[in-house]
Short mmCIF file of all heavy atoms in Angstrom, two decimals:
data_model
loop_
_atom_site.label_atom_id
_atom_site.label_comp_id
_atom_site.label_asym_id
_atom_site.label_seq_id
_atom_site.Cartn_x
_atom_site.Cartn_y
_atom_site.Cartn_z
N PRO A 117 4.69 -11.29 1.17
CA PRO A 117 5.86 -12.24 1.34
C PRO A 117 5.33 -13.66 1.15
O PRO A 117 4.20 -14.01 1.25
CB PRO A 117 6.12 -11.97 2.84
CG PRO A 117 4.91 -11.55 3.30
CD PRO A 117 4.17 -10.79 2.39
N LEU A 118 6.44 -14.56 0.90
CA LEU A 118 6.19 -16.03 0.74
C LEU A 118 6.36 -16.69 2.14
O LEU A 118 7.15 -16.08 2.93
CB LEU A 118 7.00 -16.53 -0.36
CG LEU A 118 6.66 -16.22 -1.77
CD1 LEU A 118 7.79 -16.57 -2.71
CD2 LEU A 118 5.43 -16.93 -2.18
N PRO A 119 5.80 -17.82 2.32
CA PRO A 119 6.13 -18.53 3.57
C PRO A 119 7.68 -18.76 3.64
O PRO A 119 8.28 -18.80 2.70
CB PRO A 119 5.39 -19.89 3.38
CG PRO A 119 4.36 -19.64 2.30
CD PRO A 119 4.89 -18.56 1.46
N LYS A 120 8.04 -18.76 4.89
CA LYS A 120 9.55 -18.83 5.26
C LYS A 120 10.33 -19.99 4.56
O LYS A 120 11.58 -19.75 4.25
CB LYS A 120 9.73 -18.98 6.76
CG LYS A 120 9.20 -17.69 7.53
CD LYS A 120 10.15 -17.22 8.47
CE LYS A 120 9.77 -15.88 9.18
NZ LYS A 120 8.88 -14.98 8.57
N HIS A 121 9.68 -21.08 4.34
CA HIS A 121 10.39 -22.20 3.66
C HIS A 121 10.72 -21.96 2.15
O HIS A 121 11.24 -22.82 1.57
CB HIS A 121 9.77 -23.45 3.95
CG HIS A 121 8.28 -23.57 3.22
ND1 HIS A 121 7.15 -23.12 3.86
CD2 HIS A 121 7.85 -24.09 2.13
CE1 HIS A 121 6.11 -23.28 3.12
NE2 HIS A 121 6.59 -24.02 2.08
N ILE A 122 10.22 -20.87 1.59
CA ILE A 122 10.36 -20.66 0.14
C ILE A 122 11.32 -19.49 -0.05
O ILE A 122 11.15 -18.41 0.56
CB ILE A 122 9.06 -20.38 -0.63
CG1 ILE A 122 8.18 -21.56 -0.41
CG2 ILE A 122 9.15 -20.02 -2.10
CD1 ILE A 122 6.71 -21.52 -1.11
N ASP A 123 12.25 -19.53 -0.93
CA ASP A 123 13.29 -18.56 -1.14
C ASP A 123 12.65 -17.59 -2.12
O ASP A 123 12.54 -17.82 -3.24
CB ASP A 123 14.60 -19.21 -1.67
CG ASP A 123 15.68 -18.19 -1.89
OD1 ASP A 123 15.36 -16.99 -1.94
OD2 ASP A 123 16.80 -18.63 -2.02
N GLU A 124 12.40 -16.37 -1.55
CA GLU A 124 11.75 -15.41 -2.45
C GLU A 124 12.55 -14.93 -3.71
O GLU A 124 12.00 -14.77 -4.76
CB GLU A 124 11.43 -14.05 -1.70
CG GLU A 124 10.04 -13.95 -0.96
CD GLU A 124 9.83 -12.80 -0.08
OE1 GLU A 124 10.35 -11.80 -0.31
OE2 GLU A 124 8.93 -12.91 0.62
N ASN A 125 13.87 -14.81 -3.47
CA ASN A 125 14.79 -14.40 -4.52
C ASN A 125 14.74 -15.47 -5.66
O ASN A 125 14.68 -15.14 -6.88
CB ASN A 125 16.23 -14.36 -4.14
CG ASN A 125 16.42 -12.91 -3.46
OD1 ASN A 125 15.77 -11.97 -3.73
ND2 ASN A 125 17.20 -12.81 -2.42
N LYS A 126 14.69 -16.75 -5.29
CA LYS A 126 14.78 -17.76 -6.25
C LYS A 126 13.39 -17.71 -7.21
O LYS A 126 13.42 -17.92 -8.35
CB LYS A 126 14.80 -19.13 -5.62
CG LYS A 126 16.00 -20.01 -5.74
CD LYS A 126 15.72 -21.38 -5.36
CE LYS A 126 17.02 -22.11 -5.02
NZ LYS A 126 16.86 -23.39 -4.37
N VAL A 127 12.34 -17.32 -6.44
CA VAL A 127 10.92 -17.25 -7.19
C VAL A 127 11.00 -16.08 -8.09
O VAL A 127 10.54 -16.19 -9.23
CB VAL A 127 9.86 -17.23 -6.05
CG1 VAL A 127 8.59 -16.91 -6.67
CG2 VAL A 127 9.81 -18.58 -5.23
N ILE A 128 11.55 -14.98 -7.54
CA ILE A 128 11.59 -13.86 -8.40
C ILE A 128 12.34 -13.97 -9.67
O ILE A 128 11.97 -13.63 -10.81
CB ILE A 128 11.98 -12.57 -7.56
CG1 ILE A 128 10.98 -12.14 -6.57
CG2 ILE A 128 12.36 -11.44 -8.46
CD1 ILE A 128 11.46 -11.17 -5.56
N MET A 129 13.52 -14.72 -9.39
CA MET A 129 14.52 -14.98 -10.53
C MET A 129 13.81 -15.94 -11.57
O MET A 129 14.26 -15.93 -12.65
CB MET A 129 15.77 -15.57 -10.02
CG MET A 129 16.59 -14.67 -9.16
SD MET A 129 17.65 -13.63 -9.98
CE MET A 129 18.90 -14.73 -10.45
N ALA A 130 12.89 -16.73 -11.06
CA ALA A 130 12.29 -17.76 -12.08
C ALA A 130 11.34 -17.18 -13.01
O ALA A 130 11.02 -17.82 -14.00
CB ALA A 130 11.62 -18.80 -11.15
N ILE A 131 10.73 -15.96 -12.69
CA ILE A 131 9.73 -15.27 -13.51
C ILE A 131 10.45 -14.78 -14.78
O ILE A 131 11.46 -14.05 -14.52
CB ILE A 131 8.90 -14.29 -12.84
CG1 ILE A 131 8.24 -14.94 -11.60
CG2 ILE A 131 8.03 -13.51 -13.75
CD1 ILE A 131 7.64 -13.79 -10.67
N LYS A 132 9.99 -15.05 -15.91
CA LYS A 132 10.58 -14.44 -17.18
C LYS A 132 10.55 -13.01 -17.04
O LYS A 132 9.45 -12.39 -16.88
CB LYS A 132 9.73 -14.81 -18.43
CG LYS A 132 10.15 -15.97 -19.24
CD LYS A 132 9.38 -16.09 -20.50
CE LYS A 132 9.73 -17.34 -21.27
NZ LYS A 132 8.91 -17.63 -22.37
N PRO A 133 11.61 -12.35 -17.29
CA PRO A 133 11.63 -10.81 -17.11
C PRO A 133 10.50 -10.16 -17.94
O PRO A 133 10.00 -9.19 -17.63
CB PRO A 133 13.02 -10.41 -17.59
CG PRO A 133 13.93 -11.70 -17.42
CD PRO A 133 12.91 -12.78 -17.62
N GLU A 134 10.24 -10.70 -19.14
CA GLU A 134 9.13 -10.00 -19.93
C GLU A 134 7.76 -10.24 -19.44
O GLU A 134 6.76 -9.68 -19.92
CB GLU A 134 9.24 -10.42 -21.37
CG GLU A 134 9.21 -11.91 -21.76
CD GLU A 134 10.62 -12.54 -21.76
OE1 GLU A 134 11.45 -12.14 -20.92
OE2 GLU A 134 10.85 -13.44 -22.58
N LYS A 135 7.70 -11.17 -18.34
CA LYS A 135 6.31 -11.25 -17.71
C LYS A 135 6.34 -10.84 -16.29
O LYS A 135 5.41 -10.93 -15.55
CB LYS A 135 5.89 -12.87 -17.64
CG LYS A 135 5.66 -13.43 -19.16
CD LYS A 135 4.95 -14.74 -19.06
CE LYS A 135 4.78 -15.31 -20.46
NZ LYS A 135 3.85 -16.53 -20.47
N ASP A 136 7.44 -10.12 -15.89
CA ASP A 136 7.67 -9.74 -14.55
C ASP A 136 6.91 -8.30 -14.33
O ASP A 136 7.57 -7.35 -14.30
CB ASP A 136 9.18 -9.73 -14.24
CG ASP A 136 9.41 -9.01 -12.99
OD1 ASP A 136 8.75 -9.21 -11.98
OD2 ASP A 136 10.49 -8.18 -12.89
N VAL A 137 5.67 -8.26 -14.21
CA VAL A 137 4.92 -7.02 -14.17
C VAL A 137 5.11 -6.38 -12.83
O VAL A 137 4.70 -5.23 -12.76
CB VAL A 137 3.46 -7.22 -14.51
CG1 VAL A 137 3.23 -7.53 -16.07
CG2 VAL A 137 2.86 -8.47 -13.62
N ASP A 138 5.67 -7.00 -11.88
CA ASP A 138 6.02 -6.42 -10.63
C ASP A 138 7.30 -5.50 -10.69
O ASP A 138 7.59 -4.70 -9.88
CB ASP A 138 6.20 -7.45 -9.52
CG ASP A 138 4.95 -7.50 -8.51
OD1 ASP A 138 4.27 -6.46 -8.45
OD2 ASP A 138 4.90 -8.45 -7.73
N GLY A 139 8.08 -5.92 -11.69
CA GLY A 139 9.31 -5.24 -11.96
C GLY A 139 10.38 -5.56 -10.94
O GLY A 139 11.31 -4.79 -10.50
N PHE A 140 10.34 -6.77 -10.28
CA PHE A 140 11.26 -7.18 -9.18
C PHE A 140 12.41 -8.07 -9.71
O PHE A 140 13.46 -8.20 -9.06
CB PHE A 140 10.62 -7.99 -8.15
CG PHE A 140 9.53 -7.16 -7.39
CD1 PHE A 140 8.57 -7.77 -6.56
CD2 PHE A 140 9.53 -5.77 -7.46
CE1 PHE A 140 7.67 -7.14 -5.76
CE2 PHE A 140 8.52 -5.05 -6.70
CZ PHE A 140 7.59 -5.73 -5.88
N HIS A 141 12.37 -8.63 -10.96
CA HIS A 141 13.40 -9.45 -11.52
C HIS A 141 14.68 -8.51 -11.60
O HIS A 141 14.60 -7.41 -12.13
CB HIS A 141 13.02 -10.00 -12.77
CG HIS A 141 13.94 -11.03 -13.39
ND1 HIS A 141 15.20 -10.81 -13.81
CD2 HIS A 141 13.83 -12.37 -13.33
CE1 HIS A 141 15.80 -11.86 -14.07
NE2 HIS A 141 15.04 -12.91 -13.90
N PRO A 142 15.85 -9.11 -11.36
CA PRO A 142 17.18 -8.32 -11.48
C PRO A 142 17.26 -7.66 -12.81
O PRO A 142 17.96 -6.61 -12.88
CB PRO A 142 18.18 -9.27 -11.13
CG PRO A 142 17.52 -10.22 -10.26
CD PRO A 142 16.13 -10.36 -10.78
N ILE A 143 16.78 -8.33 -13.94
CA ILE A 143 16.98 -7.69 -15.16
C ILE A 143 16.14 -6.47 -15.30
O ILE A 143 16.65 -5.38 -15.72
CB ILE A 143 16.50 -8.74 -16.33
CG1 ILE A 143 17.35 -9.93 -16.28
CG2 ILE A 143 16.34 -7.95 -17.68
CD1 ILE A 143 18.05 -10.27 -17.56
N ASN A 144 14.89 -6.33 -14.81
CA ASN A 144 14.14 -5.19 -14.76
C ASN A 144 14.72 -4.20 -13.86
O ASN A 144 14.73 -2.93 -14.14
CB ASN A 144 12.70 -5.56 -14.38
CG ASN A 144 11.95 -6.04 -15.60
OD1 ASN A 144 11.98 -5.67 -16.67
ND2 ASN A 144 11.17 -7.09 -15.45
N VAL A 145 15.16 -4.55 -12.60
CA VAL A 145 15.82 -3.70 -11.69
C VAL A 145 17.08 -2.99 -12.29
O VAL A 145 17.21 -1.83 -12.27
CB VAL A 145 16.18 -4.45 -10.36
CG1 VAL A 145 16.91 -3.42 -9.39
CG2 VAL A 145 14.90 -5.05 -9.72
N GLY A 146 17.82 -3.87 -12.99
CA GLY A 146 19.07 -3.32 -13.62
C GLY A 146 18.77 -2.37 -14.74
O GLY A 146 19.40 -1.36 -14.85
N ASN A 147 17.70 -2.57 -15.52
CA ASN A 147 17.38 -1.74 -16.57
C ASN A 147 16.87 -0.38 -15.92
O ASN A 147 17.06 0.72 -16.57
CB ASN A 147 16.17 -2.24 -17.43
CG ASN A 147 16.87 -3.28 -18.54
OD1 ASN A 147 18.00 -3.14 -18.87
ND2 ASN A 147 16.09 -4.22 -18.90
N LEU A 148 16.14 -0.44 -14.76
CA LEU A 148 15.70 0.76 -14.13
C LEU A 148 16.89 1.57 -13.68
O LEU A 148 16.92 2.76 -13.93
CB LEU A 148 14.82 0.36 -12.99
CG LEU A 148 14.20 1.33 -12.16
CD1 LEU A 148 13.02 0.83 -11.34
CD2 LEU A 148 15.02 2.16 -11.19
N VAL A 149 17.83 0.88 -13.12
CA VAL A 149 19.15 1.56 -12.69
C VAL A 149 19.72 2.38 -13.83
O VAL A 149 20.17 3.50 -13.75
CB VAL A 149 20.01 0.58 -12.06
CG1 VAL A 149 21.36 1.33 -11.64
CG2 VAL A 149 19.41 0.04 -10.74
N ILE A 150 19.93 1.66 -15.01
CA ILE A 150 20.59 2.28 -15.98
C ILE A 150 19.79 3.11 -17.04
O ILE A 150 20.27 3.66 -18.04
CB ILE A 150 21.49 1.31 -16.87
CG1 ILE A 150 20.69 0.18 -17.60
CG2 ILE A 150 22.53 0.59 -16.05
CD1 ILE A 150 21.44 -0.68 -18.52
N GLY A 151 18.47 3.14 -16.65
CA GLY A 151 17.59 4.13 -17.42
C GLY A 151 17.03 3.49 -18.68
O GLY A 151 16.55 4.24 -19.58
N ARG A 152 17.15 2.17 -18.84
CA ARG A 152 16.56 1.53 -20.01
C ARG A 152 15.11 1.15 -19.73
O ARG A 152 14.64 1.10 -18.64
CB ARG A 152 17.33 0.23 -20.38
CG ARG A 152 18.62 0.52 -20.98
CD ARG A 152 19.28 -0.69 -21.46
NE ARG A 152 18.56 -1.49 -22.46
CZ ARG A 152 18.74 -2.59 -22.89
NH1 ARG A 152 19.72 -3.34 -22.35
NH2 ARG A 152 18.05 -3.20 -23.79
N LYS A 153 14.46 0.97 -20.81
CA LYS A 153 12.90 0.61 -20.78
C LYS A 153 12.75 -0.67 -19.94
O LYS A 153 13.54 -1.64 -20.15
CB LYS A 153 12.27 0.54 -22.10
CG LYS A 153 10.82 0.55 -22.06
CD LYS A 153 10.32 0.71 -23.45
CE LYS A 153 8.79 0.17 -23.56
NZ LYS A 153 8.03 0.45 -22.38
N SER A 154 11.93 -0.68 -18.98
CA SER A 154 11.69 -1.98 -18.25
C SER A 154 10.33 -1.84 -17.58
O SER A 154 9.79 -0.79 -17.62
CB SER A 154 12.72 -2.10 -17.14
OG SER A 154 12.64 -1.01 -16.20
N PHE A 155 9.88 -2.96 -16.96
CA PHE A 155 8.68 -2.71 -16.09
C PHE A 155 9.05 -2.04 -14.81
O PHE A 155 9.98 -2.54 -14.07
CB PHE A 155 8.17 -4.21 -15.75
CG PHE A 155 7.39 -4.91 -16.83
CD1 PHE A 155 7.98 -6.11 -17.39
CD2 PHE A 155 6.37 -4.41 -17.49
CE1 PHE A 155 7.28 -6.77 -18.46
CE2 PHE A 155 5.75 -4.90 -18.58
CZ PHE A 155 6.28 -6.08 -19.07
N LEU A 156 8.41 -1.06 -14.57
CA LEU A 156 8.74 -0.24 -13.42
C LEU A 156 7.91 -0.88 -12.19
O LEU A 156 6.75 -1.23 -12.30
CB LEU A 156 8.41 1.25 -13.56
CG LEU A 156 9.10 1.97 -14.59
CD1 LEU A 156 8.69 3.44 -14.64
CD2 LEU A 156 10.61 1.95 -14.27
N PRO A 157 8.62 -0.98 -11.01
CA PRO A 157 7.81 -1.47 -9.86
C PRO A 157 6.67 -0.54 -9.49
O PRO A 157 6.80 0.63 -9.58
CB PRO A 157 8.86 -1.40 -8.71
CG PRO A 157 9.96 -0.83 -9.22
CD PRO A 157 9.96 -0.66 -10.67
N CYS A 158 5.45 -1.25 -9.27
CA CYS A 158 4.21 -0.52 -9.28
C CYS A 158 4.11 0.59 -8.22
O CYS A 158 3.56 1.70 -8.64
CB CYS A 158 3.08 -1.54 -9.18
SG CYS A 158 3.21 -2.85 -10.30
N THR A 159 4.52 0.45 -6.97
CA THR A 159 4.32 1.44 -5.95
C THR A 159 5.20 2.67 -6.25
O THR A 159 4.69 3.77 -6.32
CB THR A 159 4.60 0.80 -4.56
OG1 THR A 159 3.67 -0.37 -4.41
CG2 THR A 159 4.40 1.86 -3.54
N PRO A 160 6.54 2.44 -6.54
CA PRO A 160 7.28 3.61 -6.81
C PRO A 160 6.97 4.39 -8.09
O PRO A 160 6.80 5.65 -8.13
CB PRO A 160 8.64 2.97 -7.06
CG PRO A 160 8.74 1.67 -6.34
CD PRO A 160 7.31 1.20 -6.38
N HIS A 161 6.41 3.54 -9.12
CA HIS A 161 5.93 4.28 -10.31
C HIS A 161 4.66 5.03 -9.99
O HIS A 161 4.45 6.19 -10.38
CB HIS A 161 5.69 3.23 -11.39
CG HIS A 161 5.32 3.79 -12.73
ND1 HIS A 161 4.85 2.99 -13.84
CD2 HIS A 161 5.55 5.05 -13.23
CE1 HIS A 161 4.69 3.83 -14.77
NE2 HIS A 161 5.06 5.06 -14.62
N GLY A 162 3.73 4.46 -9.12
CA GLY A 162 2.62 5.12 -8.80
C GLY A 162 2.87 6.41 -7.99
O GLY A 162 2.16 7.44 -8.26
N ILE A 163 3.85 6.45 -7.26
CA ILE A 163 4.31 7.71 -6.52
C ILE A 163 4.73 8.85 -7.52
O ILE A 163 4.31 9.87 -7.33
CB ILE A 163 5.45 7.30 -5.46
CG1 ILE A 163 4.92 6.45 -4.30
CG2 ILE A 163 5.98 8.75 -4.90
CD1 ILE A 163 5.97 5.85 -3.57
N ILE A 164 5.52 8.40 -8.52
CA ILE A 164 5.99 9.40 -9.41
C ILE A 164 4.80 9.92 -10.18
O ILE A 164 4.72 11.11 -10.49
CB ILE A 164 7.04 8.79 -10.48
CG1 ILE A 164 8.18 8.16 -9.68
CG2 ILE A 164 7.41 9.68 -11.46
CD1 ILE A 164 9.03 9.20 -8.89
N VAL A 165 3.81 9.06 -10.70
CA VAL A 165 2.60 9.64 -11.33
C VAL A 165 1.82 10.42 -10.43
O VAL A 165 1.32 11.55 -10.94
CB VAL A 165 1.76 8.39 -11.78
CG1 VAL A 165 0.46 8.75 -12.36
CG2 VAL A 165 2.53 7.52 -12.84
N LEU A 166 1.66 10.15 -9.22
CA LEU A 166 1.00 11.07 -8.25
C LEU A 166 1.71 12.46 -8.26
O LEU A 166 0.91 13.52 -8.35
CB LEU A 166 0.94 10.58 -6.88
CG LEU A 166 -0.05 9.41 -6.48
CD1 LEU A 166 0.05 9.05 -5.02
CD2 LEU A 166 -1.47 9.91 -6.82
N LEU A 167 2.93 12.41 -8.10
CA LEU A 167 3.64 13.74 -8.00
C LEU A 167 3.38 14.52 -9.36
O LEU A 167 3.21 15.77 -9.24
CB LEU A 167 5.14 13.52 -7.84
CG LEU A 167 5.62 12.96 -6.51
CD1 LEU A 167 6.99 12.55 -6.48
CD2 LEU A 167 5.34 13.86 -5.18
N LYS A 168 3.53 13.89 -10.39
CA LYS A 168 3.41 14.51 -11.76
C LYS A 168 1.93 15.10 -11.88
O LYS A 168 1.67 16.24 -12.23
CB LYS A 168 3.59 13.46 -12.81
CG LYS A 168 4.25 14.06 -14.01
CD LYS A 168 4.64 12.80 -14.88
CE LYS A 168 5.23 13.40 -16.20
NZ LYS A 168 5.67 12.25 -17.03
N ILE A 169 0.93 14.27 -11.58
CA ILE A 169 -0.42 14.66 -11.85
C ILE A 169 -0.90 15.78 -11.00
O ILE A 169 -1.59 16.72 -11.20
CB ILE A 169 -1.44 13.48 -11.70
CG1 ILE A 169 -1.20 12.57 -12.93
CG2 ILE A 169 -2.85 13.95 -11.48
CD1 ILE A 169 -2.02 11.41 -13.01
N MET A 170 -0.33 15.80 -9.66
CA MET A 170 -0.48 16.92 -8.82
C MET A 170 0.20 18.12 -9.01
O MET A 170 0.11 19.19 -8.41
CB MET A 170 -0.23 16.39 -7.34
CG MET A 170 -1.28 15.31 -6.78
SD MET A 170 -2.96 15.64 -7.03
CE MET A 170 -3.16 17.02 -5.90
N GLY A 171 1.15 18.04 -10.03
CA GLY A 171 1.97 19.26 -10.35
C GLY A 171 3.04 19.62 -9.28
O GLY A 171 3.34 20.83 -9.10
#
Side-chain angles (χ1 to χ4, degrees):
L118 287 166
K120 296 228 174 328
H121 62 275
I122 300 178
D123 182 343
E124 267 179 21
N125 278 327
K126 247 192 202 171
V127 171
I128 291 169
M129 296 276 281
I131 299 170
K132 262 191 188 170
E134 57 270 36
K135 293 193 179 189
D136 167 42
V137 287
D138 251 343
F140 293 165
H141 191 286
I143 296 234
N144 282 317
V145 177
N147 281 334
L148 185 158
V149 173
I150 62 174
R152 284 187 63 192
K153 195 171 158 38
S154 64
F155 286 118
L156 297 181
C158 305
T159 304
H161 191 193
I163 292 170
I164 300 297
V165 172
L166 279 184
L167 293 171
K168 214 171 174 177
I169 288 183
M170 294 309 294

